Structure formats: structure tokens, C-alpha cells
Amino acid sequence: MTKPVPFQMPQYVIDRVMKKRGRLRVFDRFDACESALVVVDMQSFYVSDVPPAIAIIPNINRLADAFRARGGLVAWVKMTAGRDGESLWPLYHDYFFTEVNAARHRDNLTEGASGHEIHPDLAVMPEDICASKSRFSAFLPGKSELPEMLAERGIRNVAITGMLTNFCCETSARDAMMLDYRVAMVSDANAARYEEDHNIGFSTVYQSFGDVVTTDEMVNEILV
């Protein structure tokens, strides 16, 4: 796969949004100095076997360049599932995996494992920040380092990218809005394993949690 999975908002969702708030976009502008590009779980363990995730790498790099150039922040968020052979989320590993798959997930997402690292095709720069989380959401206080790091830098606006659209990215978008961040998910810089999952990850967010925009829209219209 060489291109991100396309997305078109269902008409019934657009109709509902227009009836509810009378406008398509919640936030017309993000002040770059108060904005962060949040890149969720683009780690080698996850990305390597999900072609749609490989396909969004150029768009994430383009967004990161734009955020840095305009004075914004780039935040790379990594799932950390284990430490010293022990699970950091026992409920998830004990009940939602086979024993073999739980160990594989835990051990590959432990600091120091190659699978834990950001995919090598992503351009991480020294001025960026890197946060660890142990749950799906990048914005769950006590389980993610990100909220405190963003608060220290005065961040009010977040653009959510990464994988999976309908798991960690959607969950992050919901929690960010409920922590009073202004949220946009970037449709062609998010990825899921299946197109149906990818699409459903956006429709609920768009109705009550934030915007769903393209890379072009974020770079050319919103980020100022």
C-alpha cells in the first residue's frame, strides 16, 4: 500500500452535525504556539505488519515539519506494556489475549525492545518530546506521561495521528476533548487494520469530540 486509506464522512453524520452546531468545523484555527502534533503508537512492533500504517508515514513527517516550522510541538507517544517481564496492564493481558500473545505484546512493547521504538522511517527530531503510556489513551492521567508534558508547555490544541484509528487514536481524541483540549483527528495520518475500522473511528469523534480533517487542511488552513 502506497497511499493512506481514503475517508469520506457519511452524509448522515454531516447532517446531524449541521443540525446540532450549524457548522462543519468546530475549530477554524490552531495557534501553532499552543498546538501539538500527537503521534500515537507508531512503533515498529505495531507498524511493520499494518500496511495502512506504513502508508501514513509521509503525512506524519509532513505534519511534523509544519508544526516545528511554525513553533508548534511534536509529541511521539509510545505504548509501554511491560517492564522486567511483568505486565503494566494485567487485566488486558490476562483476559484479552492468549498466554502466548500476551507475552508477545508485553515483551515487544517493553523499553529496550526493538519493537518498542518509533518506526525508523519517521523523522524524530531532538526538539520533539516522547511520552510513554500503558493504556490505549495518550491522555489518561496516571497512565500516560503526555498530559503533564503538554500542560508544562501551554498546549491547548492537539492534532491526533498514528494508529490504530479506532483504538488508541480515537480513545486519545475523546479523552483529550474531555480534558478541555481542542482536538482534530487527521484522517489521512491515522491508520487501522481494516477500512471499516478506520472509518468508524472518525464518525463519533466528529459528532461530539473534535474535527476530522486532512493533512492538507491542517497544514494549509488550520495551523497558523
Side-chain angles (χ1 to χ4, degrees), residues 31-222:
D31 182 341
C33 294
E34 297 180 330
S35 301
L37 178 70
V38 177
V39 187
V40 179
D41 290 0
M42 289 295 287
Q43 295 158 268
S44 293
F45 174 71
Y46 286 132
V47 173
S48 298
D49 66 345
V50 182
I54 298 291
I56 65 173
I57 288 175
N59 281 344
I60 292 176
N61 283 336
R62 180 186 171 202
L63 286 160
D65 286 344
F67 271 74
R68 296 186 196 103
R70 299 173 198 181
L73 180 69
V74 179
W76 305 91
V77 184
K78 298 196 289 186
M79 179 68 174
T80 303
R83 183 179 297 125
D84 299 327
E86 298 293 330
S87 173
L88 296 179
W89 194 0
L91 178 73
Y92 186 47
H93 288 132
D94 289 349
Y95 289 94
F96 291 84
F97 291 89
T98 66
E99 185 176 349
V100 170
N101 286 333
R104 178 174 176 267
H105 183 268
R106 179 197 68 214
D107 295 343
N108 280 282
L109 293 172
T110 292
E111 288 187 16
S114 59
H116 187 261
E117 298 305 314
I118 299 296
H119 191 278
D121 290 343
L122 287 158
V124 181
M125 296 298 172
E127 63 266 34
D128 301 342
I129 65 171
C130 186
S132 178
K133 64 181 178 70
S134 61
R135 298 295 188 271
F136 294 141
S137 175
F139 287 86
L140 188 61
K143 300 299 181 181
S144 173
E145 298 171 340
L146 185 67
E148 185 174 343
M149 296 170 80
L150 296 184
E152 289 173 352
R153 292 162 174 81
I155 298 299
R156 301 175 63 204
N157 316 307
V158 292
I160 306 292
T161 65
M163 64 179 296
L164 295 165
T165 310
N166 60 313
F167 271 78
C168 295
C169 295
E170 179 189 353
T171 306
S172 296
R174 288 170 177 251
D175 284 354
M177 179 270 182
M178 290 188 285
L179 290 173
D180 296 323
Y181 290 93
R182 299 168 182 168
V183 175
M185 292 189 77
V186 185
S187 60
D188 54 357
N190 277 264
R193 293 182 184 277
Y194 306 102
E195 186 171 351
E196 293 84 355
D197 291 347
H198 181 68
N199 292 342
I200 203 169
F202 295 128
S203 58
T204 301
V205 167
Y206 183 57
Q207 292 180 61
S208 288
F209 294 94
D211 286 311
V212 178
V213 302
T214 65
T215 296
D216 282 345
E217 288 170 331
M218 180 57 65
V219 170
N220 297 330
E221 301 173 21
I222 299 170

